[in-house]
Protein backbone atom coordinates (compact mmCIF):
# COMPACT_ATOMS: atom_id res chain seq x y z
CA UNK A 1 0.00 0.00 0.00
CA UNK A 2 1.23 3.51 -0.82
CA UNK A 3 1.90 5.77 2.14
CA UNK A 4 0.17 8.75 0.53
CA UNK A 5 -2.24 8.76 -2.41
CA UNK A 6 -3.52 12.05 -3.76
CA UNK A 7 -6.22 11.86 -6.46
CA UNK A 8 -7.62 14.82 -8.36
CA UNK A 9 -7.02 17.17 -5.40
CA UNK A 10 -8.61 20.56 -5.99
CA UNK A 11 -8.85 23.37 -3.49
CA UNK A 12 -10.04 26.97 -3.52
CA UNK A 13 -9.62 29.28 -0.49
CA UNK A 14 -12.81 30.97 0.80
CA UNK A 15 -13.71 34.22 -0.95
CA UNK A 16 -11.28 33.56 -3.82
CA UNK A 17 -12.02 32.75 -7.45
CA UNK A 18 -9.00 30.80 -8.58
CA UNK A 19 -8.15 27.30 -7.47
CA UNK A 20 -4.98 27.17 -5.35
CA UNK A 21 -4.64 23.45 -6.21
CA UNK A 22 -5.90 22.41 -9.64
CA UNK A 23 -6.38 18.64 -9.65
CA UNK A 24 -3.20 17.07 -8.28
CA UNK A 25 -2.66 13.31 -8.45
CA UNK A 26 0.41 11.49 -7.18
CA UNK A 27 1.58 8.74 -4.85
CA UNK A 28 4.36 8.59 -2.28
CA UNK A 29 6.01 5.46 -0.85
CA UNK A 30 6.95 4.94 2.78
CA UNK A 31 10.39 6.37 3.61
CA UNK A 32 10.67 8.56 0.52
CA UNK A 33 12.16 12.04 0.81
CA UNK A 34 10.04 14.26 -1.44
CA UNK A 35 11.00 17.84 -2.30
CA UNK A 36 8.23 20.26 -3.31
CA UNK A 37 9.48 23.16 -5.39
CA UNK A 38 7.92 26.01 -7.32
CA UNK A 39 7.94 29.78 -7.30
CA UNK A 40 6.12 31.92 -4.73
CA UNK A 41 2.34 31.33 -4.66
CA UNK A 42 2.61 28.13 -6.72
CA UNK A 43 0.70 26.23 -4.00
CA UNK A 44 3.45 24.56 -1.92
CA UNK A 45 2.11 25.63 1.48
CA UNK A 46 -1.46 24.87 0.46
CA UNK A 47 -0.43 21.36 -0.57
CA UNK A 48 1.45 20.87 2.72
CA UNK A 49 -1.67 21.88 4.60
CA UNK A 50 -3.83 19.55 2.51
CA UNK A 51 -1.51 16.62 3.35
CA UNK A 52 -2.04 17.07 7.08
CA UNK A 53 -5.68 18.12 6.89
CA UNK A 54 -5.62 21.83 7.78
CA UNK A 55 -7.10 22.03 4.29
CA UNK A 56 -10.11 21.44 4.43
CA UNK A 57 -10.66 21.13 8.23
CA UNK A 58 -9.31 24.54 9.24
CA UNK A 59 -9.25 26.34 5.90
CA UNK A 60 -12.73 25.84 4.50
CA UNK A 61 -13.55 26.80 0.90
CA UNK A 62 -13.99 24.47 -2.06
CA UNK A 63 -12.41 21.00 -1.82
CA UNK A 64 -12.50 18.14 -4.31
CA UNK A 65 -10.70 14.86 -4.94
CA UNK A 66 -9.06 12.92 -2.14
CA UNK A 67 -5.94 12.62 -0.02
CA UNK A 68 -5.27 9.23 1.59
CA UNK A 69 -2.59 9.04 4.23
CA UNK A 70 -1.71 5.60 5.56
CA UNK A 71 -5.26 4.30 5.07
CA UNK A 72 -6.96 7.45 6.37
CA UNK A 73 -8.94 9.79 4.11
CA UNK A 74 -7.75 13.22 5.23
CA UNK A 75 -10.84 15.14 4.09
CA UNK A 76 -13.14 12.87 6.10
CA UNK A 77 -11.04 11.85 9.11
CA UNK A 78 -10.87 13.83 12.35
CA UNK A 79 -7.88 16.17 12.58
CA UNK A 80 -6.63 14.46 15.79
CA UNK A 81 -6.56 11.11 13.94
CA UNK A 82 -4.50 12.64 11.14
CA UNK A 83 -2.17 14.31 13.67
CA UNK A 84 -1.23 10.84 14.99
CA UNK A 85 0.30 10.07 11.59
CA UNK A 86 1.33 13.37 10.03
CA UNK A 87 3.37 16.18 11.59
CA UNK A 88 3.52 19.58 9.92
CA UNK A 89 6.30 22.13 10.40
CA UNK A 90 4.80 25.47 9.40
CA UNK A 91 6.44 27.92 7.04
CA UNK A 92 6.52 30.54 9.80
CA UNK A 93 7.95 29.11 13.05
CA UNK A 94 6.06 31.74 15.11
CA UNK A 95 2.85 30.00 14.00
CA UNK A 96 4.07 26.77 15.56
CA UNK A 97 4.77 28.16 19.06
CA UNK A 98 1.96 27.50 21.54
CA UNK A 99 2.50 30.83 23.30
CA UNK A 100 1.60 29.29 26.66
CA UNK A 101 4.86 27.56 27.66
CA UNK A 102 7.75 29.20 29.51
CA UNK A 103 10.62 27.02 28.28
CA UNK A 104 11.72 25.21 25.14
CA UNK A 105 11.51 21.88 27.00
CA UNK A 106 7.91 22.53 28.06
CA UNK A 107 7.07 23.65 24.54
CA UNK A 108 8.25 20.30 23.18
CA UNK A 109 6.35 18.48 25.94
CA UNK A 110 3.17 20.35 25.01
CA UNK A 111 2.94 18.65 21.61
CA UNK A 112 3.37 15.24 23.24
CA UNK A 113 0.71 16.01 25.87
CA UNK A 114 -1.70 16.77 23.04
CA UNK A 115 -0.93 13.38 21.51
CA UNK A 116 -1.60 11.70 24.86
CA UNK A 117 1.99 10.47 25.36
CA UNK A 118 2.62 9.20 28.91
CA UNK A 119 4.66 11.60 31.09
CA UNK A 120 7.52 9.10 31.65
CA UNK A 121 7.92 8.55 27.89
CA UNK A 122 8.24 12.24 27.11
CA UNK A 123 11.73 13.10 28.39
CA UNK A 124 13.74 10.72 26.17
CA UNK A 125 11.78 11.77 23.07
CA UNK A 126 12.28 15.46 23.85
CA UNK A 127 16.00 14.98 24.62
CA UNK A 128 16.50 13.11 21.34
CA UNK A 129 14.67 15.76 19.29
CA UNK A 130 16.59 18.60 20.97
CA UNK A 131 19.88 16.82 20.34
CA UNK A 132 19.02 16.18 16.69
CA UNK A 133 18.30 19.88 16.15
CA UNK A 134 21.16 21.12 18.37
CA UNK A 135 18.97 23.12 20.75
CA UNK A 136 19.72 21.30 24.03
CA UNK A 137 21.45 24.36 25.47
CA UNK A 138 18.28 26.43 25.03
CA UNK A 139 16.08 24.00 26.96
CA UNK A 140 15.32 26.50 29.75
CA UNK A 141 14.99 29.52 27.48
CA UNK A 142 11.61 31.15 26.84
CA UNK A 143 10.56 30.23 23.25
CA UNK A 144 9.97 33.90 22.46
CA UNK A 145 13.55 34.80 23.50
CA UNK A 146 14.97 32.62 20.71
CA UNK A 147 16.36 33.97 17.46
CA UNK A 148 14.44 33.19 14.25
CA UNK A 149 16.83 30.34 13.45
CA UNK A 150 16.65 28.87 16.96
CA UNK A 151 12.88 29.12 16.90
CA UNK A 152 12.82 27.33 13.58
CA UNK A 153 14.95 24.52 15.02
CA UNK A 154 12.58 24.33 18.00
CA UNK A 155 9.55 24.14 15.70
CA UNK A 156 11.13 21.23 13.80
CA UNK A 157 12.19 19.51 17.05
CA UNK A 158 8.66 19.81 18.47
CA UNK A 159 7.27 17.89 15.48
CA UNK A 160 10.11 15.32 15.45
CA UNK A 161 9.51 14.61 19.17
CA UNK A 162 5.99 13.54 18.18
CA UNK A 163 7.59 10.81 16.01
CA UNK A 164 5.09 11.06 13.16
CA UNK A 165 5.26 8.45 10.41
CA UNK A 166 5.03 11.27 7.91
CA UNK A 167 6.62 14.67 8.38
CA UNK A 168 5.67 17.62 6.18
CA UNK A 169 8.07 20.56 6.40
CA UNK A 170 7.21 23.89 4.80
CA UNK A 171 10.45 25.77 4.11
CA UNK A 172 11.98 24.58 7.38
CA UNK A 173 15.37 26.17 6.80
CA UNK A 174 14.32 29.65 5.67
CA UNK A 175 15.74 31.33 8.80
CA UNK A 176 18.86 29.22 9.12
CA UNK A 177 22.42 30.04 8.08
CA UNK A 178 24.06 27.70 5.52
CA UNK A 179 25.56 25.33 8.11
CA UNK A 180 22.31 25.33 10.09
CA UNK A 181 20.34 24.45 6.95
CA UNK A 182 22.80 21.66 6.12
CA UNK A 183 22.47 20.27 9.67
CA UNK A 184 18.68 20.21 9.37
CA UNK A 185 18.76 18.46 5.98
CA UNK A 186 21.13 15.82 7.37
CA UNK A 187 18.94 15.27 10.44
CA UNK A 188 15.83 14.91 8.30
CA UNK A 189 17.58 12.60 5.87
CA UNK A 190 18.62 10.35 8.77
CA UNK A 191 14.97 10.12 9.84
CA UNK A 192 13.92 9.32 6.30
CA UNK A 193 16.50 6.51 6.12
CA UNK A 194 14.94 5.05 9.25
CA UNK A 195 11.55 4.91 7.49
CA UNK A 196 9.94 8.28 8.17
CA UNK A 197 8.27 9.64 5.04
CA UNK A 198 9.47 13.20 4.41
CA UNK A 199 7.77 15.89 2.33
CA UNK A 200 9.59 19.19 2.25
CA UNK A 201 8.69 22.41 0.45
CA UNK A 202 11.92 24.32 -0.20
CA UNK A 203 13.45 27.00 -2.39
CA UNK A 204 16.98 25.72 -1.71
CA UNK A 205 17.38 23.88 -4.98
CA UNK A 206 20.92 22.59 -4.38
CA UNK A 207 19.82 20.88 -1.18
CA UNK A 208 16.62 19.51 -2.71
CA UNK A 209 18.70 18.09 -5.59
CA UNK A 210 21.04 16.42 -3.14
CA UNK A 211 18.62 15.05 -0.56
CA UNK A 212 15.33 14.31 -2.33
CA UNK A 213 14.44 10.94 -3.83
CA UNK A 214 11.87 12.70 -6.00
CA UNK A 215 10.95 16.31 -6.70
CA UNK A 216 7.41 17.58 -7.19
CA UNK A 217 7.33 20.80 -9.22
CA UNK A 218 4.25 22.98 -8.77
CA UNK A 219 3.25 25.90 -10.95
CA UNK A 220 0.09 27.94 -10.42
CA UNK A 221 -1.52 25.09 -8.50
CA UNK A 222 -0.69 22.44 -11.08
CA UNK A 223 1.84 19.62 -10.90
CA UNK A 224 4.31 20.14 -13.73
CA UNK A 225 6.62 17.23 -12.84
CA UNK A 226 7.13 14.57 -10.21
CA UNK A 227 10.33 12.68 -10.84
CA UNK A 228 13.94 12.20 -9.75
CA UNK A 229 15.97 15.40 -9.26
CA UNK A 230 18.05 14.44 -12.31
CA UNK A 231 14.93 14.19 -14.50
CA UNK A 232 13.28 17.35 -13.17
CA UNK A 233 16.38 19.58 -13.19
CA UNK A 234 17.50 18.40 -16.65
CA UNK A 235 14.30 19.83 -18.19
CA UNK A 236 14.74 22.64 -20.70
CA UNK A 237 11.63 24.56 -19.65
CA UNK A 238 12.42 25.29 -15.99
CA UNK A 239 12.70 29.04 -16.53
CA UNK A 240 9.02 29.10 -17.43
CA UNK A 241 8.26 27.88 -13.90
CA UNK A 242 10.67 30.24 -12.15
CA UNK A 243 13.04 27.42 -11.22
CA UNK A 244 16.81 27.84 -11.43
CA UNK A 245 18.49 24.41 -11.69
CA UNK A 246 21.37 23.45 -9.36
CA UNK A 247 24.63 25.15 -10.32
CA UNK A 248 26.32 21.82 -11.14
CA UNK A 249 23.50 21.02 -13.55
CA UNK A 250 23.92 24.44 -15.19
CA UNK A 251 27.68 24.08 -15.56
CA UNK A 252 27.47 20.53 -16.85
CA UNK A 253 24.72 21.49 -19.28
CA UNK A 254 26.84 24.40 -20.54
CA UNK A 255 29.79 22.07 -21.07
CA UNK A 256 27.75 19.20 -22.51
CA UNK A 257 28.67 16.86 -19.64
CA UNK A 258 25.91 14.33 -19.08
CA UNK A 259 25.45 10.83 -17.88
CA UNK A 260 25.96 8.73 -21.03
CA UNK A 261 23.52 6.07 -19.87
CA UNK A 262 20.61 8.39 -19.04
CA UNK A 263 21.42 11.57 -20.98
CA UNK A 264 20.74 13.54 -17.78
CA UNK A 265 22.95 16.21 -16.22
CA UNK A 266 24.76 15.79 -12.87
CA UNK A 267 23.03 17.62 -10.01
CA UNK A 268 25.56 17.52 -7.21
CA UNK A 269 29.28 17.93 -6.69
CA UNK A 270 29.78 14.16 -6.39
CA UNK A 271 27.80 13.39 -9.53
CA UNK A 272 29.58 16.15 -11.44
CA UNK A 273 33.01 14.82 -10.37
CA UNK A 274 32.09 11.32 -11.51
CA UNK A 275 31.01 12.56 -14.91
CA UNK A 276 34.02 14.85 -15.36
CA UNK A 277 36.37 11.92 -14.68
CA UNK A 278 34.50 9.85 -17.28
CA UNK A 279 34.38 12.81 -19.66
CA UNK A 280 38.18 13.11 -19.80
CA UNK A 281 38.77 9.40 -20.22
N1 LIG B 1 -5.20 32.02 3.56
C1 LIG B 1 -5.35 32.25 2.25
N2 LIG B 1 -6.49 32.82 1.77
C2 LIG B 1 -6.65 33.02 0.44
N3 LIG B 1 -5.75 32.68 -0.49
C3 LIG B 1 -4.61 32.11 -0.08
C4 LIG B 1 -4.33 31.87 1.31
N4 LIG B 1 -3.12 31.29 1.41
C5 LIG B 1 -2.65 31.16 0.15
N5 LIG B 1 -3.54 31.66 -0.74
C6 LIG B 1 -3.39 31.67 -2.22
O1 LIG B 1 -3.17 30.34 -2.66
C7 LIG B 1 -2.18 30.31 -3.69
C8 LIG B 1 -1.04 29.39 -3.29
O2 LIG B 1 -0.38 29.97 -2.17
P1 LIG B 1 0.68 29.18 -1.28
O3 LIG B 1 0.89 29.97 -0.03
O4 LIG B 1 0.24 27.77 -1.17
O5 LIG B 1 1.98 29.25 -2.22
P2 LIG B 1 3.50 28.87 -1.90
O6 LIG B 1 3.98 28.11 -3.08
O7 LIG B 1 3.59 28.24 -0.58
O8 LIG B 1 4.23 30.30 -1.88
P3 LIG B 1 5.56 30.77 -1.07
O9 LIG B 1 6.76 30.25 -1.86
O10 LIG B 1 5.47 32.25 -1.14
O11 LIG B 1 5.49 30.24 0.32
C9 LIG B 1 -1.78 31.75 -3.94
O12 LIG B 1 -2.51 32.25 -5.03
C10 LIG B 1 -2.16 32.45 -2.66
O13 LIG B 1 -2.49 33.80 -2.89
MG1 LIG C 1 4.59 28.71 1.15
Amino acid sequence: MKKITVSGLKYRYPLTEELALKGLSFEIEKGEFIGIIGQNLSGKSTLCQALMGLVPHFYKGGYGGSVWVDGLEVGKAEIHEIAQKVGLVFQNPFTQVSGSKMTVFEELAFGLENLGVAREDMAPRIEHAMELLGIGRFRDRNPFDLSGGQMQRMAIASVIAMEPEIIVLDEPTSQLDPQGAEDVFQAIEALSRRGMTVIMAEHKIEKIARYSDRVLLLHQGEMVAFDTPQQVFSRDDLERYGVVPPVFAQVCKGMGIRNPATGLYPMTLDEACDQVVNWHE
Side-chain angles (χ1 to χ4, degrees):
M1 191 173 67
K2 305 286 177 196
K3 198 70 177 170
I4 298 175
T5 303
V6 174
S7 308
L9 174 64
K10 290 184 186 173
Y11 176 66
R12 184 178 46 72
Y13 283 97
L15 308 176
T16 62
E17 305 256 302
E18 208 183 332
L19 288 169
L21 302 176
K22 298 175 182 161
L24 307 182
S25 300
F26 59 88
E27 292 179 328
I28 294 173
E29 307 275 354
K30 177 177 161 51
E32 273 195 293
F33 190 134
I34 303 295
I36 304 178
I37 62 164
Q39 61 195 161
N40 293 137
L41 307 182
S42 56
K44 302 182 297 298
S45 294
T46 309
L47 177 55
C48 288
Q49 282 158 350
L51 292 175
M52 85 80 60
L54 286 179
V55 165
H57 292 287
F58 178 76
Y59 294 101
K60 305 295 179 186
Y63 183 88
S66 65
V67 175
W68 286 85
V69 165
D70 211 10
L72 208 60
E73 189 172 359
V74 167
K76 295 185 177 155
E78 300 284 334
I79 200 97
H80 69 85
E81 291 177 284
I82 307 164
Q84 300 280 345
K85 295 178 183 290
V86 189
L88 172 64
V89 178
F90 289 93
Q91 179 159 2
N92 180 350
F94 287 89
T95 319
Q96 199 106 27
V97 181
S98 69
S100 63
K101 299 295 167 190
M102 297 308 287
T103 69
V104 167
F105 189 94
E106 286 173 34
E107 180 67 31
L108 266 61
F110 180 65
L112 299 186
E113 280 162 24
N114 288 340
L115 282 186
V117 174
R119 198 85 215 157
E120 62 271 22
D121 297 335
M122 285 185 188
R125 285 167 66 161
I126 295 171
E127 293 297 341
H128 177 243
M130 286 197 303
E131 191 189 315
L132 209 60
L133 272 299
I135 55 168
R137 64 188 188 282
F138 306 123
R139 68 177 63 232
D140 297 323
R141 189 85 66 87
N142 187 305
F144 288 108
D145 291 338
L146 299 175
S147 73
Q150 291 160 352
M151 195 179 273
Q152 196 153 37
R153 286 169 187 259
M154 182 188 71
I156 300 166
S158 71
V159 175
I160 285 176
M162 294 190 223
E163 298 179 356
E165 291 169 42
I166 299 162
I167 188 165
V168 181
L169 305 111
D170 193 358
E171 295 189 40
T173 67
S174 58
Q175 315 255 350
L176 296 172
D177 58 33
Q179 187 58 53
E182 180 62 26
D183 293 345
V184 166
F185 268 89
Q186 287 186 9
I188 301 293
E189 190 197 34
L191 294 171
S192 139
R193 281 218 210 93
R194 273 183 250 138
M196 192 182 276
T197 305
V198 175
I199 296 140
M200 186 191 291
E202 253 301 348
H203 290 292
K204 293 193 173 78
I205 287 298
E206 313 289 330
K207 298 242 181 283
I208 286 295
R210 177 144 142 240
Y211 287 100
S212 306
D213 296 309
R214 288 192 291 159
V215 175
L216 194 159
L217 168 57
L218 282 179
H219 183 66
Q220 295 178 354
E222 289 182 74
M223 191 173 85
V224 173
F226 189 26
D227 214 325
T228 61
Q230 289 79 4
Q231 286 285 358
V232 173
F233 294 124
S234 292
R235 289 173 67 115
D236 289 325
D237 58 355
L238 291 176
E239 205 175 329
R240 186 188 306 168
Y241 309 114
V243 173
V244 178
V247 71
F248 292 111
Q250 293 180 51
V251 170
C252 291
K253 196 170 191 175
M255 296 178 77
I257 302 169
R258 43 171 105 206
N259 182 321
T262 62
L264 303 174
Y265 300 106
M267 298 292 124
T268 63
L269 178 61
D270 287 348
E271 286 172 24
C273 288
D274 284 350
Q275 290 310 315
V276 169
V277 169
N278 294 337
W279 191 54
H280 284 298
E281 276 170 358

